Amino acid sequence: MKLKGRNKVSPDFSMSSMTDIVFLLLVFFMLTSNAPNALDLLLPKAKGKSTNTQNVSVTIDKNLKYYVNNEQINGEYIEIELRKALEGQDKPTIILRAEESVAIKEAVNVMDIANRNNYKVILAVRPK
């Protein structure tokens, strides 16, 4: 009597399915990671919709340091830097990120520069 089966079980392991899962997880975490700017700011809270159109980012931190596209600049030269960054743009837009503790006059200064030069300003906030 022959009781041994004809089908042999292969002990080989295929890594292709595991590789696919790891790749999909990597793509998922890259898409869901939220790191738009390198500066750690506590933005004011507000309700509203967010936008993805961005030409130039202006950041004011609690120490009144100004950053244009994450490059620190002197506050006196902000208008010159904005003109350089936005020249030739079709619809020049500034994303203004002012930390919650910054005096409103600092943000209004940037808004005034935008108004004089016909730039659109979007104030960045935290979701409420």
Side-chain angles (χ1 to χ4, degrees), residues 44 58-60 64 66 75 78-79 82 94 96-99 102-117 119 121-123:
V58 175
T59 306
I60 308 170
L64 299 181
Y66 287 82
I78 191 160
E79 186 167 5
L82 287 174
I94 299 172
L96 178 58
R97 292 183 173 94
E99 197 161 359
V102 172
I104 193 70
K105 69 177 186 174
E106 303 299 329
V108 169
N109 182 32
V110 175
M111 289 181 199
D112 185 43
I113 291 169
N115 187 34
R116 284 194 309 257
N117 294 293
Y119 300 149
V121 178
I122 299 172
L123 181 62

Side-chain angles (χ1 to χ4, degrees), residues 1 14 23-24 31 35 41 43 50-51 59 67 70-71 73-75 90 92-93 96 100 105 112 115 117 122 126-127:
M1 229 171 138
S14 175
F23 177 75
L24 288 174
L31 291 175
L41 296 176
L43 297 173
S50 62
T51 179
T59 306
Y67 298 86
N70 295 328
E71 291 184 27
I73 62 163
N74 190 340
D90 205 19
T93 305
L96 178 58
E100 196 172 36
K105 69 177 186 174
D112 185 43
N115 187 34
N117 294 293
I122 299 172
R126 287 184 293 159

Side-chain angles (χ1 to χ4, degrees), residues 52-57 69 85-86 89-95:
N52 289 333
T53 60
Q54 176 179 347
N55 289 338
V56 172
S57 171
N69 290 336
L86 291 170
Q89 294 290 334
D90 205 19
K91 294 180 182 176
T93 305
I94 299 172
I95 302 286

